[in-house]
Amino acid sequence: MENNYPYLTNQVYIYDNDFISLLSLIKTLLKNKIRPYKIEGKEYNPSLFENIINIKVENNSNILRELKNIFGKENMQIIYYVYSSCENNKELVIYYYLLNYFKFKDNLIRMRNLRCVSEALRIKEKVAREAHKFKGFLRFKELKSESLYAEINPDNDILFILAKHFQKRLKEFNWVIKDVNRKTYAIYFSQKLYFANEEKINLKNVEFSKEEESYEDMWKEFYNIIGITLRKNDRCRMNFMPKKYWQYLIEMEDER
Amino acid sequence: MDIMEKLTILADSAKYDASCSSSGSTRTNGKFGNTAYSGICHSFSSDGRCISLLKILLTNICIFDCKYCINRNSNNVKRAIFTPEEICQITINFYKRNYIEGLFLSSGIIKSPDYTMELMIKTIELLRHKYHFGGYIHAKAIPGCSEYQLKKLGSLVDRLSANIELPSNESLKLLAPNKEESKVSKIMNYVKVNQNKNFTPAGQSTQMIIGASLETDLDIMNKSENSYHDYKLKRVFYSAYIPVNQDKNLPILKMPPLKRENRLYQADWLLRFYNFKVSDLLDKNHPNFNVLVDPKCSWALNHLNEFPKEVNSCTYNELLKIPGIGVTSAKRIITSRKFFKLNFNDLKKMGVVLKRAQYFITCNGKYNLNATLLSSSFIEKNLFLDDAEKEIGYGKQLSLFN
């Protein structure tokens, strides 16, 4: 199945929409020296000249550890961040990044003149930046049950990264974070972290605690007070906190 | 007085302190909450400044009468005082909703420095020990307090600092007659000597007010350079003077000198990360920064005979001095050029701002422009008049200096 003319192929390889199955597919492709034209999720609609291929991959739950041993922790983290992004060709970027690893080994990360490296690092930084922004801009509301509930609308799939952050920070609380764009949930309950999608969860009729409103009011008051009128600078604020984040920011309610 | 009204008064009187950073702590204990080494901004206020900490005063009652301060004794403003429990409640409720990284607690001086410090210690002890709060705490030490109190407070907080406030002792006497430079330096010295992972792990910072007194930028930068050296400060904050009071010793300003503040911050960065010295940037004949040109470009234009630099061979230090190249991109260049020769396109991918850098560099011996154009008048015309026009277009900040 070896293909010496990578740019003439029309073969689109399909994976099962999760990180493990993407890695399993790429591992199989690398092993068999196959150069894919595209790698896409299973809902992909091929164009007229594209040829969909589902190849059998071994589903190995140890693949993360296995690849970590080959590529190292840092590269695996880069790949995970790229996978979490909303970029169209992220699968191919990962494929070529790993392919080039065999040639350049641990120097790969410094080879920014290679397109796959500069792309991978650009995408990784983009995802990391968004995750960092949401570590600050996410807002919990307290429910009647004293659990905390937050909704976010990130471009990239950063729910896992955020959940790990709050797992350390709010370890004595129960909380739920909902990604409204992907309809996925991170649930932290009795010191255990779970991920779920909408079918498995029922969060209708949530009621907030009786203190919730007064703390929201205090926060809004604090926010309005802390800005110095003589220094007002909307452009600067907009650079740091663009409007797309405002939707769930309690303090921006009046300006939305 | 209810808690909301207190918050209004005591946040309003705390907002002139510039520091809000929550970075640099390595403390790990605390059942509820933690710190992030990089710091996290939770919001941005209408003036574009980051909100990271709940910045409040314990009280705005103050026995001092510093001319520039909104809380000065002779001002007729509404006074309030938080109880320790109230501060804890607001802090933990804001923290768990992820509004803040922690608490910034400062205070007016009520009764005496010792009494005020005692209240602050009581508050933060309650927060750390009763509520097991592990988030970031930055406390302002009260000049004149006892060493025992510094020891106690420093072991509870992430950062403990004292403000220099004014760049010279003469200005301090003029505008803050109750403050003594020696009391501030005593605190800063104590923190420097004792700092470790259990005592103010995030170190200390300080603040100077810019434009309330007559010092030049050279005076201010010298003061900063000395403070960084003497007290191992993490940061010096520069706070453009906001006219809140009237006094014969205070200047009359319509707008705070924001552009000047900006240039001082840029120069401060050059000191801390770019291996510049104040003497490289300013001297007796040029004691102030050019408002139109940033300090690094200004330096480069005055040293054009040292340019252009070949990015594939010059040293890290030389890279740092090229306008348009920052610490991150300089490091990337150093690590990458061992493996391949860099061209202009590679530089772009590494985050170099070519619009600036192109005048000052060659790549593999190639200059991006006509070599006869390496003259300061051409660069100035192309780079800074553009910027200046843009800024004048955006705001009225420059009008102060024209």
Side-chain angles (χ1 to χ4, degrees):
Chain A
M1 239 180 134
E2 188 168 340
N3 191 336
N4 291 319
Y5 303 99
Y7 304 107
L8 294 178
T9 115
N10 60 354
Q11 287 159 350
V12 179
Y13 290 84
I14 299 298
Y15 71 105
D16 211 3
N17 293 9
D18 65 66
F19 190 47
I20 300 282
S21 72
L22 175 64
L23 291 180
S24 307
L25 172 63
I26 289 179
K27 188 189 152 196
T28 312
L29 294 176
L30 289 172
K31 208 165 147 189
N32 296 306
K33 300 195 168 155
I34 302 168
R35 295 275 176 107
Y37 171 62
K38 276 182 181 172
I39 302 173
E40 295 288 348
K42 59 183 171 186
E43 70 294 327
Y44 182 68
N45 280 325
S47 72
L48 192 55
F49 302 105
E50 286 172 352
N51 194 8
I52 291 278
I53 298 184
N54 278 299
I55 51 173
K56 257 233 164 322
V57 293
E58 42 176 324
N59 252 340
N60 179 357
S61 55
N62 280 330
I63 190 162
L64 275 180
R65 194 177 310 146
E66 190 189 325
L67 294 185
K68 207 169 175 176
N69 285 337
I70 303 172
F71 299 111
K73 198 176 161 190
E74 191 180 15
N75 287 318
M76 287 307 283
Q77 203 198 17
I78 291 170
I79 289 164
Y80 180 72
Y81 273 63
V82 174
Y83 170 75
S84 306
S85 78
C86 56
E87 297 272 329
N88 276 332
N89 61 347
K90 62 185 183 184
E91 294 89 353
L92 274 190
V93 171
I94 295 175
Y95 171 85
Y96 279 105
Y97 190 86
L98 294 181
L99 179 68
N100 275 292
Y101 181 83
F102 294 110
K103 189 170 169 195
F104 297 102
K105 299 289 184 224
D106 288 340
N107 291 330
L108 179 66
I109 191 169
R110 296 174 192 102
M111 306 300 289
R112 280 177 191 256
N113 55 342
L114 299 178
R115 198 160 163 258
C116 66
V117 177
S118 65
E119 275 296 280
L121 293 177
R122 179 186 66 79
I123 296 169
K124 181 221 155 187
E125 275 159 32
K126 201 177 114 181
V127 174
R129 198 175 310 125
E130 188 177 42
H132 186 78
K133 285 271 185 198
F134 270 101
K135 283 178 191 174
F137 294 156
L138 177 146
R139 295 285 178 265
F140 281 113
K141 286 168 180 270
E142 192 182 54
L143 305 181
K144 247 189 174 157
S145 59
E146 289 189 1
S147 305
L148 300 166
Y149 175 70
E151 293 185 344
I152 53 169
N153 58 343
D155 295 336
N156 304 299
D157 190 2
I158 54 171
L159 191 62
F160 181 79
I161 304 168
L162 284 179
K164 284 287 171 193
H165 170 75
F166 286 107
Q167 186 178 19
K168 288 196 203 105
R169 174 158 290 199
L170 300 175
K171 57 188 168 204
E172 305 277 316
F173 292 79
N174 296 324
W175 45 259
V176 176
I177 303 171
K178 179 185 182 187
D179 180 335
V180 290
N181 291 346
R182 288 169 193 78
K183 300 189 171 57
T184 49
Y185 295 79
I187 300 150
Y188 184 76
F189 188 76
S190 296
Q191 313 229 359
K192 283 203 179 68
L193 183 59
Y194 310 88
F195 293 89
N197 51 24
E198 199 155 47
E199 293 104 58
K200 289 184 182 149
I201 200 160
N202 180 16
L203 263 179
K204 282 177 189 128
N205 306 324
V206 288
E207 275 187 73
F208 297 116
S209 73
K210 62 178 194 300
E211 283 185 331
E212 178 56 26
E213 203 185 329
S214 67
Y215 281 109
E216 286 184 11
D217 286 345
M218 272 195 237
W219 172 240
K220 281 193 258 185
E221 173 73 3
F222 177 78
Y223 178 83
N224 291 330
I225 288 284
I226 209 76
I228 296 173
T229 320
L230 266 177
R231 299 183 61 120
K232 191 169 163 55
N233 192 339
D234 279 331
R235 187 165 63 107
C236 181
R237 177 174 71 175
M238 205 64 96
N239 282 341
F240 287 117
M241 196 166 74
K243 271 213 163 130
K244 69 167 190 166
Y245 297 109
W246 290 18
Q247 191 176 352
Y248 298 102
L249 288 174
I250 290 151
E251 65 271 29
M252 301 312 287
E253 256 167 28
D254 304 334
E255 295 186 54
R256 280 205 283 266
Chain B
M1 194 183 286
D2 71 354
I3 193 165
M4 181 70 130
E5 194 179 353
K6 287 186 184 182
L7 181 67
T8 308
I9 294 169
L10 294 169
D12 194 34
S13 41
K15 70 182 171 192
Y16 299 102
D17 204 303
S19 162
C20 198
S21 88
S22 58
S23 59
S25 188
T26 48
R27 204 170 31 79
T28 44
N29 53 339
K31 235 162 60 187
F32 161 43
N34 61 1
T35 58
Y37 189 74
S38 61
I40 296 174
C41 296
H42 285 256
S43 193
F44 288 86
S45 56
S46 57
D47 50 22
R49 296 190 301 167
C50 148
I51 301 176
S52 179
L53 304 173
L54 171 65
K55 197 189 294 177
I56 47 171
L57 297 189
L58 189 125
T59 178
N60 64 339
I61 298 169
C62 194
I63 56 175
F64 279 11
D65 200 38
C66 308
K67 306 291 182 220
Y68 51 82
C69 180
I70 183 85
N71 305 313
R72 65 180 180 183
N73 187 269
S74 56
N75 270 9
N76 185 15
V77 294
K78 204 160 188 182
R79 308 280 171 170
I81 180 165
F82 271 130
T83 65
E85 188 64 39
E86 284 168 337
I87 293 178
C88 292
Q89 282 307 324
I90 301 178
T91 306
I92 60 177
N93 273 292
F94 277 14
Y95 190 87
K96 75 176 178 194
R97 288 170 175 79
N98 205 39
Y99 300 164
I100 53 170
E101 274 302 286
L103 174 68
F104 176 108
L105 189 64
S106 183
S107 183
I109 300 169
I110 177 168
K111 289 184 190 167
S112 70
D114 275 359
Y115 181 80
T116 314
M117 273 295 266
E118 217 42 64
L119 284 179
M120 290 178 78
I121 291 169
K122 208 172 143 197
T123 306
I124 293 170
E125 251 178 353
L126 197 66
L127 201 49
R128 286 286 196 225
H129 295 153
K130 182 177 167 198
Y131 294 100
H132 305 288
F133 180 66
Y136 194 94
I137 300 181
H138 178 175
K140 284 276 163 202
I142 307 295
C145 69
S146 73
E147 210 160 85
Y148 172 74
Q149 289 174 317
L150 284 177
K151 187 177 171 191
K152 207 163 175 193
L153 190 54
S155 61
L156 291 166
V157 299
D158 296 277
R159 175 171 284 184
L160 181 64
S161 59
N163 285 348
I164 296 173
E165 301 293 12
L166 293 162
S168 77
N169 214 2
E170 294 74 51
S171 300
L172 211 55
K173 275 184 190 140
L174 192 70
L175 296 177
N178 313 92
K179 283 197 176 159
E180 285 166 49
E181 201 183 12
S182 63
K183 284 182 178 163
V184 175
S185 46
K186 193 185 146 199
I187 295 173
M188 288 163 68
N189 199 45
Y190 187 87
V191 174
K192 179 197 130 188
V193 173
N194 293 287
Q195 202 239 342
N196 64 41
K197 69 180 199 310
N198 297 317
F199 184 90
T200 63
Q204 58 176 332
S205 60
T206 193
Q207 165 171 310
M208 277 187 271
I209 300 166
I210 304 309
S213 50
L214 294 170
E215 287 82 8
T216 61
D217 291 349
L218 178 62
D219 300 328
I220 295 166
M221 290 316 295
N222 275 332
K223 182 83 186 173
S224 296
E225 195 173 47
N226 293 338
S227 309
Y228 280 125
H229 177 261
D230 296 347
Y231 306 117
K232 292 193 185 137
L233 297 180
K234 286 281 179 338
R235 285 285 298 273
V236 174
F237 290 94
Y238 305 91
S239 173
Y241 166 65
I242 313 269
V244 289
N245 299 327
Q246 297 204 328
D247 189 278
K248 63 177 180 4
N249 289 334
L250 286 171
I252 295 165
L253 296 178
K254 261 199 289 204
M255 282 290 293
L258 296 175
K259 199 71 223 178
R260 186 176 177 202
E261 179 193 280
N262 179 231
R263 293 288 177 243
L264 287 166
Y265 272 118
Q266 288 173 323
D268 188 81
W269 245 257
L270 296 182
L271 295 190
R272 286 187 294 139
F273 303 115
Y274 291 79
N275 301 332
F276 276 88
K277 292 195 190 68
V278 175
S279 54
D280 296 332
L281 302 170
L282 297 168
D283 57 53
K284 276 205 173 106
N285 299 321
H286 305 91
N288 288 306
F289 290 113
N290 185 339
V291 193
L292 297 177
V293 185
D294 72 78
K296 191 173 164 185
C297 267
S298 179
W299 178 87
L301 288 174
N302 289 329
H303 295 78
L304 266 190
N305 55 336
E306 291 178 29
F307 293 101
K309 297 274 188 213
E310 169 56 49
V311 285
N312 281 298
S313 59
C314 70
T315 65
Y316 177 68
N317 242 334
E318 288 171 324
L319 282 174
L320 282 182
K321 306 220 158 160
I322 300 168
I325 296 184
V327 173
T328 311
S329 44
K331 281 185 180 151
R332 283 176 185 165
I333 289 171
I334 293 285
T335 48
S336 294
R337 72 186 185 187
K338 289 180 198 151
F339 301 99
F340 60 94
K341 283 240 181 280
L342 303 168
N343 60 34
F344 284 103
N345 203 18
D346 295 329
L347 291 182
K348 208 171 186 177
K349 280 186 202 156
M350 290 177 187
V352 172
V353 186
L354 275 185
K355 189 192 148 207
R356 291 196 156 222
Q358 61 175 350
Y359 301 99
F360 304 98
I361 55 172
T362 58
C363 277
N364 298 317
K366 263 200 298 203
Y367 192 59
N368 206 22
L369 306 147
N370 185 338
T372 56
L373 297 179
L374 183 63
S375 77
S376 64
S377 57
F378 174 77
I379 300 171
E380 253 171 50
K381 183 171 167 295
N382 273 277
L383 222 41
F384 307 116
L385 292 184
D386 265 16
D387 287 2
E389 270 164 28
K390 221 191 279 170
E391 292 214 24
I392 291 166
Y394 275 122
K396 304 96 217 162
Q397 296 176 10
L398 281 171
S399 60
L400 252 182
F401 303 94
N402 288 343

